[in-house]
Amino acid sequence: MREFRILLITLVAVFTTIATAEAQQTSRRYNIGDDLNNEISDTLNFDLDAPVMTEGDGTLYYIRKINLHGVKYLNHDILKQSAGLIEGDSIYLPSSFISNAMHRLWAPRYFSDIQIGATIEGDSLDLEVFLKERPRILTWNFEGVSKSKRDDLRDEVLKLRRNTELSDYVIDKNVKLIKEHYASKGFRTCEVDVRLTNDTIYEQCVNVTFVIDRGPKVRVGEINFTGNNSFEDKRLRRTFKKTHQKSILFFQNRKLNEEDYEADKELLLDFYNSRGYRNATIVRDSIYTIDDATLGIDIEVDEGKQFYIRNIKWVGNSIYTTEYLDNLLGIQPGDIYDKKSMHKRLGIGKEMNPEEMSISSLYQNNGYLMSQIEPAEIVVGPDSLDLEIRVFEGKPFTINNVGISGNMRVDDEVIRRELYVRPGELYNRALLMQTMRTLMGMGHFDEQAIMPDIQPVTDELVDINWPLQEKASDQFNIAGGWGSGTFVGSIGVTLNNLSIRNFFKKGAWRPYPSGQNQRLQISGQTNGTYYKALSLSFTDPWLGGRRPNSFSISGYISEQNNAYYVWQNATMHYRSMGIAVGFGKRLKWPDPYFTFYGELGYQRYGLKGWNSFIISDGVSNTLSLKLVLQRSSVDAPFFSRSGSEFTLSVQATPPFSLWDGKNYVSKELSDQDRYRWIEYHKWLLKGRWYFPLTRNQNLVLMLGAEMGFLGHYNKNKVSPFERFEIGGDGMTGYNIYGVDIISMRGYEDGALDPSSYYSVAYNKYTVELRYPVILKPNSSIYVLGFLEGGNGFNSWKEFSPFKIKRSAGIGVRLYLPVVGMLGIDWGYGFDPAFGKTKPSGSQFHFVMGQQF
């Protein structure tokens, strides 16, 4: 007679993983399943009170069969393999085998309860595995918020996925994230309830609904300080950058964000340290409720005593003399202790800026890669301290190898010629930063991902690698615009990585020969028969490939007539054509940010019956030389966070009236003779500055100023061409008189010109606050608010930098690699346009292309 022995081995969650206890909690809180013991009792007649085999010597058994119970939706074979349960294997009981199998079954969180039993017959056994599947979440729903907010919560904030397991952990985690999300937006009393419903179609599936009650938006009503004897509350509040109380500055953000508040408290201590109070501390702070929509903040500070510097001592410096370092530090004995300024001049800690001159930069820019500066403060009295600045110079490092990776479309040689760090040269951090800016300015790589990988290989050699992420740089534009009372469509193609030398190379046309960073731009405009224009330009930034000397050539042709329909014949026309050849050079002095560009251009204007212009019939010619001096140190072309850019240009024609022998005073001189050769000198001065206002450099202040003037050699021969049109978005359907379009948001196109013949001079000032929404290679977006002022003038005598028309507004900029930059602005003009008596008022403007 065969002997049967039945043994049940039960291992609970306390003995295995925290997930077990959580699963049992889930069953209790959400009633997601019946007790597994009932199912076991219904399946086999096991004694649940049988003792667990945890003592004694193990006995060897062979696994004859493995039976899974309670699994309906998961693959049995995969579950057995993942648990390490294989028929035919041998195991010892008691041992850790069963507990390890349970660990592996708990890991994927598929089950809310697990029990394992065994039916033993001689030296063989059948394992009985009882599992309780968790319900799967079929849908995630939200109540109490709008559809757009639901999508944001589901996809961006919580990143919820369907067909995941239901557990306390999953629910509690998402409830916490929802509350944190709304708390960061000022809804600090947000309440979230959870409703679970069984799905009516799919078994073992539930639908989860978060019921959200945001409550009122809570703002900071007051910020109070105690213990401050040296500074008033008002001054201390100004040290906070993100946390503000109620004031007349209605635009200030009064939401309380915990992270921002902690950062502002650090700024408060930094302020005290910068005024000599090195021991200043925040004793305590409390946040309390004033009413349902208002919070109060109380902060108690201990200022301590104001400290002065008694002596300054340098230790470890051998490359630079103590006198030289003292002069660079700029701190004298007896000065008030200023930790912030000291760290900034030393170039250490959070005040370090590799772009600015500091003692750390002095070493880093001369090869001392491993140099370190450590100031030690030695208190020598109740209000005095000695500074001992310890310098670890190390050895100068030489660049061993410079590597490039990630470039698939841009040739290695094109990138290497832009590098300022080269093998065999001393390591120089300033040149490293210059290289970063140059690579960003090429426009072929993700600016946010450009970061050198610096790897010392010995105590004197270092490798510098540039891992690059390419982005699309070519552009295809289809656009429409309104100009001179008609709609004009345009189409354009810009290839930014052309390679002329590969034109006849086999296999290079994919889809065009690329790799040399040469630029080809072709564009056309038309509205049918009334207006047509075609332009083409080519630029090689490294003519010959050896030096950064650029070559450019461009040409255009356009025609406007009175044939408004195809079947009409034109009786009047305005035709223009032009060609220009230019050469540019990068300068090393005063610094490597300067460039110089010269261009020789010729334009021809032909008019027939064109009575709306100064010249109605005849041909006018322009031969001009244009010189441009430019300096640009911006860190990125689209969303610039730091640096500046300046442009000074002058364009001049020969003074034909000085030698052609014509009497330009005479009114009998025909327009054809007067304007056969146009003469002028044109001056432009533009500048922009970028200042990051936050530590993460996301909030950026842009300040801009520009002016232009068109001068003449002979007051009786003032050029009717090359003037300025002031007002609008800086774009137009077309431009037929060679005028420069100057944007002025809040006003219509040309609204600030003092006459129908445009402006001879102008000025413009801009203040913008910019904040990025998305900065990625495939798309970048930032929002802005602006204040703007500018005006147009008839002559230099009328010009005044203070006579401006004012406007303000908001806008957004979008950069897509395929189409370039797009934007829309809303502006409000506070002053009347020329010839008007009422303010310009509300205006919308569309922007295409980078403007400067």
Side-chain angles (χ1 to χ4, degrees), residues 370 397-398 455-463:
M370 295 301 177
F397 273 72
T398 301
Q455 297 291 338
V457 291
T458 68
D459 59 352
E460 294 182 350
L461 295 175
V462 60
D463 287 346

Side-chain angles (χ1 to χ4, degrees), residues 44 82 165 181 244 265 399 430 586 595 661 681 721-722 740:
L44 292 173
S82 64
E165 82 282 351
H181 171 71
H244 305 288
K265 289 194 293 184
I399 299 174
R586 296 183 190 176
T595 59
H681 51 92
F721 302 99
E722 298 295 334
D740 287 354

Side-chain angles (χ1 to χ4, degrees), residues 298-315:
D298 286 345
I299 301 175
E300 181 182 348
V301 298
D302 181 3
E303 295 179 333
K305 291 190 176 183
Q306 190 175 34
F307 275 74
Y308 296 85
I309 296 175
R310 191 183 70 169
N311 294 312
I312 302 173
K313 181 181 179 182
W314 294 85
V315 178

Side-chain angles (χ1 to χ4, degrees), residues 214-254:
R214 298 186 307 175
K217 180 172 283 190
V218 181
R219 293 179 170 88
V220 178
E222 59 184 26
I223 302 176
N224 302 312
F225 294 90
T226 58
N228 52 313
N229 300 316
S230 303
F231 303 98
E232 296 181 354
D233 287 14
K234 182 179 180 180
R235 181 63 188 90
L236 297 182
R237 292 189 196 104
R238 292 211 312 267
T239 65
F240 284 9
K241 299 300 183 184
K242 294 292 187 67
T243 310
H244 305 288
Q245 71 172 20
K246 185 177 181 181
S247 69
I248 60 173
L249 301 177
F250 61 90
F251 55 85
Q252 281 187 334
N253 182 12
R254 291 171 49 214

Side-chain angles (χ1 to χ4, degrees), residues 735-749:
N735 171 18
I736 61 175
Y737 301 126
V739 299
D740 287 354
I741 311 298
I742 309 300
S743 69
M744 182 65 193
R745 293 165 289 189
Y747 297 88
E748 295 181 351
D749 294 345

